[in-house]
Amino acid sequence: MFDIDKVVEILEKSKQPKSEFVKLMDDFKSPYIVLISCILSLRTKDQTTYPATLRMLKLAKTPQEMMNVKVEDLERAIYPVGFYKNKAKQIIELSKELVEKYNGKVPCDIDELCKFKGVGRKTANLVLSQGFNVPAICVDVHVHRIFNRLGYVKTKNPEETEFALREKLPKKYWILINSLLVTFGQNICKPIKPLCDKCPIEKYCAKLIK
C-alpha cells in the first residue's frame, strides 16, 4: 500500500546531493530572484543556470535595478544559458512591467504571474512556494515522472499532474515536494536507466505494487 507520509520521510532522510539550482532556491528567497532565476533555468542544465544566475545578480537584484541594465550586458552575463538573448530581453521587459504596473513587487497570485510573457504554471508555482512560502505545487518533469512511476497519479503531462496532486497530496508537502523530487530524480529516479537497486522507496513503486 502506498504511504505518502512514509515516502516523504524516507526521501527527507536519504541525504542525496542537491543540484545547484535547488541550492539556489534554498539560498535566495526573494520572489523576484526566484522568478528571474527560474526563467534562466528553462531548457538549461542546472550546472549552467547556477553560475549564470550569480553573474546576473552582480548586475542587479531588484526590478528597479534590472530595468536599467543594458540588454547586451545581461546577455554576456547569462551566456551560455539556452536562448540567452531572448531571456535577457524578457527579464528586462518583465522588470520594467513590475515597476510600472506592480510598484516593483512580484504579485503573490498565480493568475497574475502567468500574465507575464514566458511565465507558465511551473514557474509561477515555484515563485509562490519558494519566494512567498505559500502552499503551491511546482510540477516539473521530475515531479511528473516520479509520481507517475510510483503510481501515485496517472497523468499525461505536468499540468495534469499539478491538478491531480492538488486533490491528493497533503498540503503540508506542497512547498517541499519539488526540491525533494528534483533531487531524487537527478540522483536516483532518472529519466533513463533509473537506479532502482539504490532506490530507498522502491517497495512503494508501482512496478512492485500490483
Side-chain angles (χ1 to χ4, degrees), residues 31-32 34-36 39 90 94 97-98 102 105-129 131-132 134 136:
Y32 176 68
V34 172
L35 176 58
I36 60 176
I39 289 172
Q90 179 186 353
L94 184 152
E97 190 173 355
L98 283 172
Y102 297 90
K105 296 181 179 179
V106 176
C108 184
D109 181 89
I110 192 167
D111 293 325
E112 286 296 315
L113 287 166
C114 287
K115 289 179 182 179
F116 293 112
K117 182 180 178 181
V119 175
R121 293 191 66 87
K122 183 187 82 168
T123 297
N125 277 310
L126 192 66
V127 172
L128 292 176
S129 62
F132 289 102
V134 299

Side-chain angles (χ1 to χ4, degrees), residues 65-131:
E65 294 172 347
M66 187 65 76
M67 66 182 288
N68 294 314
V69 172
K70 293 181 180 179
V71 67
E72 296 83 3
D73 292 337
L74 185 54
E75 287 175 1
R76 283 193 292 270
I78 66 175
Y79 178 84
V81 300
F83 306 98
Y84 70 97
K85 288 181 177 289
N86 291 337
K87 288 178 180 179
K89 292 177 183 177
Q90 179 186 353
I91 288 170
I92 291 174
E93 289 173 1
L94 184 152
S95 300
K96 290 179 180 178
E97 190 173 355
L98 283 172
V99 172
E100 294 169 358
K101 296 183 179 180
Y102 297 90
N103 197 30
K105 296 181 179 179
V106 176
C108 184
D109 181 89
I110 192 167
D111 293 325
E112 286 296 315
L113 287 166
C114 287
K115 289 179 182 179
F116 293 112
K117 182 180 178 181
V119 175
R121 293 191 66 87
K122 183 187 82 168
T123 297
N125 277 310
L126 192 66
V127 172
L128 292 176
S129 62
Q130 298 300 316

Side-chain angles (χ1 to χ4, degrees), residues 141-159:
V141 291
H142 296 290
V143 176
H144 171 65
R145 177 181 74 253
I146 293 168
F147 269 132
N148 273 276
R149 276 183 178 170
L150 290 172
Y152 192 63
V153 299
K154 293 182 180 180
T155 53
K156 296 178 181 179
N157 55 60
E159 186 166 332

Side-chain angles (χ1 to χ4, degrees), residues 174-203:
W174 285 19
I175 294 176
L176 168 71
I177 204 65
N178 180 266
S179 61
L180 201 62
L181 291 192
V182 167
T183 299
F184 180 59
Q186 291 178 337
N187 290 287
I188 303 295
C189 198
K190 299 180 180 184
I192 300 173
K193 295 182 180 180
L195 307 179
C196 298
D197 58 324
K198 296 182 179 179
C199 179
I201 57 170
E202 186 184 22
K203 70 177 182 179

Side-chain angles (χ1 to χ4, degrees), residues 32-49:
Y32 176 68
I33 293 178
V34 172
L35 176 58
I36 60 176
S37 299
C38 195
I39 289 172
L40 286 191
S41 75
L42 299 174
R43 300 186 183 182
T44 303
K45 293 182 178 180
D46 285 358
Q47 55 264 40
T48 301
T49 300

